[in-house]
Every structure is written in structure tokens, then in C-alpha cells.
Amino acid sequence: MPDYRLERPVINGKRSARWYVVWSEAGRSHRLATKTDDKVAARKFLAQFAVLEEAPPVRFVTRDLTAAYFKDREDDPKVAYPKAIRNALNHIDGFFGDLLPDMISPATVTLYTRQRRRTGVMDATISKELRFLRQALKFGVRHKWMDREPEISVPGEGQPRDRYLSREEFGRLYFHASPLHLRVFLALAISTAARGKHVLDLKWDRVDFEAGMVRYRPGTSSNKKTAPVPMNGPLRSILIEARKVAGPSGYVVEWEGKPVKSVRKAYARACRLAGLDDAHRHDLRRTAASWALQGGASFDEVATMLGDSVEITRKHYAMHSPAYLRGAVENIAGRRA
């Protein structure tokens, strides 16, 4: 819900004598005249306005509900990738958008799943889309648009992705990485195990060459932690190169003086040239953790780099440790001897 408040804004260089309702929404500022200079009357106007703005519509279809849900999520600073939500809801709207929410049923969800599978979409992606639909329906119940949420059956997630790059594969990828901002992104991602968003958000004032540290800003939610990470030799070299040609944006990963919003296309092009058909950007973080453990790092160290708990890190990456089940296997051999 936007933060509606009363102000007397400056208009044409002069402070207005009348009160306005002002608020921010989707990164844009809005204002509405109360047409009064009486603050008591303006407060009454504000209260009535807020109630009307947040009241659920009398008639709506699923598309209206998903739009309201997305607007709520887009305005939440804890949401790291609102574009991913919007992309998923675009597919949901294309199938369910004109239906009344109470027309959504296990049968319609099954039809949606079949349709998406026919276009080659994996079950994990379909599940993600349907989970956003489920959250939109929960939003509708929570905000009194509807009394109950329809049943949504989500297809199986499939096996968790465990792909990581070998050092030879990463070497090929890095060789074909162009322009410079992609090499900088790759070096930061593989050397610090940071999430892609944190790498793209990194500014030069967080890079300490004297101390040899990269200090990412803290995440905005408890499960998106970051940690200061020492620079290794290759990372320091590419950062020095990038600093020499840095533009005015202040961002480490930039293109033509502007911060880079996404490396998706450049990364895909480098993967094609390197012959890596099944490599995803998100594999870099998994690769960094795997290499660190294979090199003898402790689970405590890797967990700190990832911003995860030791338990979660051990659960996902234990098989990459040289000590994985070594004691058990040796004990079996000893008993057999």
C-alpha cells in the first residue's frame, strides 16, 4: 500500500497554500489536490481517499488481481527481481487473465500445464509461474477481494539443478567473454560467489584496493546476505583494468558510462562461442562454492561467502568436499580387510 500523506508542495517556485495528497508508486511521485488550505479538512479528505483507493473492486477478473499483486510486490524493496515476477505473470495472464478467479480449478491448471509443456517449457518454470498465481490469489483473499482462494496444483519441481563449470569450461567462457564488463562480472561472480544482482549493484566505493577487499552492500532480506570478500590475484587484475577505463556511473560493471542492468545476452553469446549449451548465469555461484570446497576450504568459510548457514551449505555442496563420505568408505574397507 502506498504511503499517502499531506504536503504543501512547491509549484512553479512557490509553496502552495493548499494541501495535496502525495505518494510514490512504481518509482513515480503522484499528487492530488485536496482543494483546501484547512489542514483538518485536508486530513478528512486524505482518510476518505485512502479508503477508496484501497477498497477492493466490485467486479474483476484474474488479470486485475495479478496486476494488483504485482504492483504490491514491485513497490516492496525486499523483492530483488520484480521483472521475473512480471514475466511469469505475463504467461499466467495469457491463459487465466480473462477468467474470474473462482473459475480457476484443478482442471484449468492441468490445461495450462499441458499447454506450457507442449511449447517445451520445463516443469520447474511452470511451477514457478503457478506459484506466483497462487500468491496473487492469496493476496486477493488477504485484501478482501475474495473469500477463498481456488486450489492450485503445482507440477513437480523436478531434480534440483546441480550444474557447475569445470575450470576448463570457465576458462573457455572467460576467453570468449566480451566486452570488458562481462569479464568483470564473471571474475566477481566466480571469485566472490556473490549473486548476480549484488555484482551488478557493486560500486567502486565498495572496492578497497588497499585492503584487498570487495565489500558488497548488505542484502535487504535475511536470506540475501552478503559478506566482504578478499580479492584474489585474477580478480584484482581485472578490477584494476576496469578501474582505469571506468566511466562516471560509479558502478564497477558498466557499459558506455552507464550501469549494466543485465548480462543475459552477453553471457549467452559467450556460452555459444565457448560451446556451453547448458550453462546458466546462476551456475557461477554454485561453481564458486564447489571450487572452494574442492580446494580444501571449510564449510564455515564457504557458508560465509555464500551468505548461507553452514547446514544449508553442507546440504547442497557436501559432495564437492574431498572429505565427502571418505571416513565411511574407509571404515567399510577396514571392516572388509
Side-chain angles (χ1 to χ4, degrees):
M1 175 179 173
D3 179 22
Y4 301 115
R5 60 191 184 280
L6 289 175
E7 287 186 6
R8 292 168 51 228
V10 175
I11 302 175
N12 297 328
K14 295 178 62 177
R15 178 73 61 184
S16 172
R18 294 186 173 184
W19 292 96
Y20 283 73
V21 177
V22 298
W23 70 97
S24 294
E25 201 166 14
R28 298 181 61 184
S29 297
H30 303 269
R31 71 185 183 205
L32 177 68
T34 66
K35 300 181 180 180
T36 181
D37 56 5
D38 184 337
K39 193 169 186 179
V40 174
R43 283 175 175 166
K44 183 177 180 181
F45 180 98
L46 171 62
Q48 293 172 339
F49 172 80
V51 168
L52 290 174
E53 281 294 297
E54 298 306 317
V58 177
R59 293 183 59 83
F60 62 92
V61 292
T62 301
R63 189 187 312 278
D64 302 318
L65 183 56
T66 58
Y69 165 70
F70 175 70
K71 180 176 160 185
D72 178 74
R73 303 306 293 148
E74 186 181 32
D75 292 337
D76 188 341
K78 293 182 180 180
V79 176
Y81 296 103
K83 186 177 179 181
I85 301 177
R86 180 67 272 169
N87 290 340
L89 291 178
N90 284 341
H91 294 292
I92 292 295
D93 288 345
F95 187 90
F96 297 100
D98 294 325
L99 297 179
L100 297 172
D102 60 10
M103 295 174 67
I104 297 174
S105 66
T108 56
V109 171
T110 298
L111 286 174
Y112 176 80
T113 301
R114 289 175 181 170
Q115 184 184 88
R116 295 291 282 151
R117 282 173 175 165
R118 281 197 297 269
T119 62
V121 179
M122 302 297 289
D123 275 5
T125 299
I126 301 170
S127 296
K128 179 179 69 174
E129 294 165 359
L130 289 172
R131 283 198 303 273
F132 282 127
L133 173 60
R134 180 186 287 162
Q135 290 304 313
L137 293 168
K138 289 181 181 295
F139 172 89
V141 173
R142 193 164 60 249
H143 289 269
K144 311 299 183 184
W145 286 45
M146 48 204 285
D147 295 328
R148 64 175 185 85
E149 60 178 283
E151 180 182 348
I152 301 289
S153 299
V154 176
E157 294 282 354
Q159 292 299 314
R161 184 174 174 83
D162 61 359
R163 173 78 160 100
Y164 72 96
L165 302 180
S166 68
R167 293 182 183 273
E168 186 272 335
E169 286 177 322
F170 182 80
R172 297 200 326 256
L173 176 64
Y174 194 82
F175 177 81
H176 289 288
S178 178
L180 175 62
H181 75 258
L182 179 59
R183 295 199 299 277
V184 175
F185 177 90
L186 291 175
L188 282 164
I190 205 68
S191 297
T192 68
R195 293 176 174 84
K197 174 177 171 56
H198 293 149
V199 172
L200 294 178
D201 285 346
L202 181 66
K203 290 188 174 184
W204 285 114
D205 63 0
R206 310 290 293 183
V207 177
D208 188 340
F209 285 104
E210 184 175 345
M213 299 290 289
V214 176
R215 308 180 193 278
Y216 293 102
R217 292 193 179 278
T220 55
S221 61
S222 58
N223 65 338
K224 294 290 186 291
K225 303 171 186 174
T226 55
V229 183
M231 298 180 199
N232 56 28
L235 177 58
R236 175 182 282 274
S237 296
I238 191 67
L239 288 177
I240 290 174
E241 180 183 351
R243 191 71 181 101
K244 290 177 181 177
V245 296
S249 74
Y251 286 86
V252 176
V253 182
E254 67 170 16
W255 170 245
E256 296 184 342
K258 297 179 180 179
V260 174
K261 300 296 184 183
S262 171
V263 297
R264 180 176 59 84
K265 292 182 180 179
Y267 186 86
R269 182 172 61 249
C271 283
R272 286 197 304 271
L273 293 173
L276 301 173
D277 297 330
D278 61 341
H280 297 176
R281 300 189 306 285
H282 306 300
D283 295 336
L284 295 172
R285 180 172 160 84
R286 193 179 304 110
T287 297
S290 302
W291 288 4
L293 287 168
Q294 289 166 4
S298 70
F299 283 105
D300 281 340
E301 291 174 310
V302 175
T304 300
M305 283 185 67
L306 295 173
D308 289 332
S309 68
V310 175
E311 291 75 15
I312 291 294
T313 302
R314 190 181 296 275
K315 175 182 176 182
H316 289 293
Y317 299 104
M319 73 290 298
H320 297 292
S321 170
Y324 177 61
L325 296 182
R326 179 61 56 192
V329 172
E330 294 299 334
N331 285 338
I332 292 173
R335 283 196 295 270
R336 288 181 175 179

